[in-house]
Amino acid sequence: MKIFCWIACVALTGIALSAPGGAKAEDRRSVIMANTCYSCHGADGHSVGAMPSIAGKSADYIVEALLKFRDGRKPSTVMARIAKGFTDDEIKALAKHFARQ
Amino acid sequence: MKKISRRNFTALATSAVGVSTIGFPMLATAKSANVVIIGGGFGGATAAKYLKRFDDSINVTLVEPAKAFVTCPFSNTVIGGLNPISKITHGYDGLRKRGVKVVHDRASAIDAAGKKVSLAGGSTLSYDRLIVSPGIDFRWGAIEGAEASIVDSIPHAWQAGAQTMLLRKQLEAMPDGGVFVISPPGNPFRCPPGPGERISLVANYFKQHKPKSKIIALDPKPKFSKQGLFKEGWAKLYPGMIDYRNLGNDGKVVRVDGKAMTLETDLGDKLRGDVVNFIPAQRAGKIAQTAGLADKSGWCPVDHTTFESNIHPAIHVIGDASIASPMPKSGFAASSQAKVCAAAIAALLSGGDVSRPKFVNTCYSLVAEDYGISVAMVYDFASGKIIKVKGSGGLSPSGASDTFHQQEADFARGWYDSIAADIFG
């Protein structure tokens, strides 16, 4: 009975922390954004062609690369045009998502 | 309170939190939901895979007549003699391995009220949600003489497979000094830069094997996708070979003669080709028409966060058949929409919120094997519809270096292999 209370307390805490609805939709939007990358960079970021793989790259690497593409500090053929489609917050969310993989 | 050891507490806490965060959305699902998908191309196959990724408990059934899918993207490389058709052919074992049930049959009817799909082979599939991704159908008869019966002599090759091989064989059989006549349709149609790439890779083939041959394009539009970039490449690589006639230059075809192999223009010019490629005007695929999912335009109006039909609830339409402007009708766009649609359906089936979507489209075109060009765009959702993200996207620059164009050609090939793995792998 007492162990049940412990488990119930922790479980309820877990539910409250995961904050369903709004937070879940935000997490899913990170996934939706990452999914747009896979058409060129391969399933889950494992490229099978000339594009570099993004799987396993650190969050810092992703953020820096996208920001540099976006403002032209890093030359590109298409990535500047793509990176300009993402805000700072979206880039950070993307990087956090890739870091979790 | 009975004392609990720290080790036991940690074990209990971890397992309890694990159940609550992973299990919480699943608790809302009373039983496994059924999603049926009509069409196994860029849209349908992507939706099948990504539905399982978002929620493996969903029963996903994909209905596709073909045992293997032949892609329109990169079919111009087959027509131009650069690749065998096997390069652009993809089977469905990858989807099967993920638990997708693949049924090789054709959907003949949809009972929207009863939520059932009838298959030509006689069986019926029930669904909680239906995704319709049928591609295009052609508007036969919109131009005099342009009937379905002409395709064995005047191919469209705008649905890949047998038509791709037919056009390739016709070009191989053409003598040096022959004329290839191509006529793209008015907007909207599948793959706006496609005709430009086809002209390019046929020109590339002629340059190497039949250099006295000529290409004439008859286009009813005032301009075409990536026009500036294509013409820049053509001037450099195929000078004097390509005569592209737009709307202002008698480019509109008013009559097709499948026996005489001629296209007649608005001003009465009759152009005969040794090989003729007539690409008819288009509309949403047949099943979308018969199921009442299309509006007067011939295309299917949908919600841009879920791709649910504005006409029939619980039916989602993605890819070429949907009205998703400003997104173009392309394989990349269909796949992008499918991923958003899958996310939305997974959310709807588990009682969660539908996220604000994000889409990308990048169209690569090969002007030659070592010369690529591209047009890209990032899309978001605002004021109830898909919008272009301001400042993003655009065309490859004009006057770019040979290195730039080589890189884009390499990326074109890389894109194709990556998206094929992303969808069918």
Side-chain angles (χ1 to χ4, degrees), chain B residues 266-353:
Chain B
D266 204 14
L267 296 185
D269 201 2
K270 241 191 213 150
L271 288 113
R272 196 194 165 279
D274 297 278
V275 179
V276 180
N277 176 207
F278 178 77
I279 304 160
Q282 294 153 31
R283 60 182 174 202
K286 276 198 186 70
I287 188 69
Q289 309 291 341
T290 58
L293 291 162
D295 66 15
K296 278 200 290 263
S297 70
W299 307 97
C300 303
V302 295
D303 178 290
H304 283 173
T305 60
T306 60
F307 285 80
E308 187 170 20
S309 166
N310 292 344
I311 300 171
H312 289 300
I315 302 179
H316 301 248
V317 185
I318 58 175
D320 293 349
S322 70
I323 298 172
S325 332
M327 293 186 82
K329 296 185 186 303
S330 74
F332 198 126
S335 187
S336 186
Q337 293 159 11
K339 292 172 182 179
V340 165
C341 179
I345 288 178
L348 290 167
L349 289 174
S350 65
D353 290 338

Side-chain angles (χ1 to χ4, degrees), chain A residues 14-29:
Chain A
I15 289 169
L17 285 173
S18 67
K24 207 86 205 123
E26 255 329 289
D27 288 342
R28 189 168 273 140
R29 191 161 198 269

Side-chain angles (χ1 to χ4, degrees), chain B residues 85-97:
Chain B
I85 196 139
S86 57
K87 168 76 182 173
I88 59 171
T89 305
H90 306 276
Y92 292 99
D93 284 347
L95 290 186
R96 288 190 180 94
K97 283 200 187 87

Side-chain angles (χ1 to χ4, degrees), chain B residues 383-407:
Chain B
S383 309
K385 54 191 291 303
I386 293 173
I387 53 148
K388 293 181 184 181
V389 177
K390 240 176 170 184
S392 77
L395 297 156
S396 308
S398 59
S401 66
D402 290 346
T403 309
F404 189 101
H405 287 300
Q406 174 71 64
Q407 284 176 327

Side-chain angles (χ1 to χ4, degrees), chain A residues 10-82:
Chain A
V10 178
L12 285 169
T13 310
I15 289 169
L17 285 173
S18 67
K24 207 86 205 123
E26 255 329 289
D27 288 342
R28 189 168 273 140
R29 191 161 198 269
S30 298
V31 176
I32 286 172
M33 290 194 294
N35 287 343
T36 67
C37 310
Y38 303 149
S39 300
C40 286
H41 289 279
D44 285 312
H46 296 283
S47 175
V48 294
M51 286 76 159
S53 279
I54 54 181
K57 295 284 200 302
S58 70
D60 286 346
Y61 181 94
I62 301 277
V63 169
E64 197 184 338
L66 288 173
L67 291 177
K68 280 187 169 161
F69 281 134
R70 199 175 68 177
D71 63 23
R73 277 177 290 148
K74 194 166 150 114
S76 66
T77 56
V78 76
M79 278 312 296
R81 293 179 260 158
I82 300 291

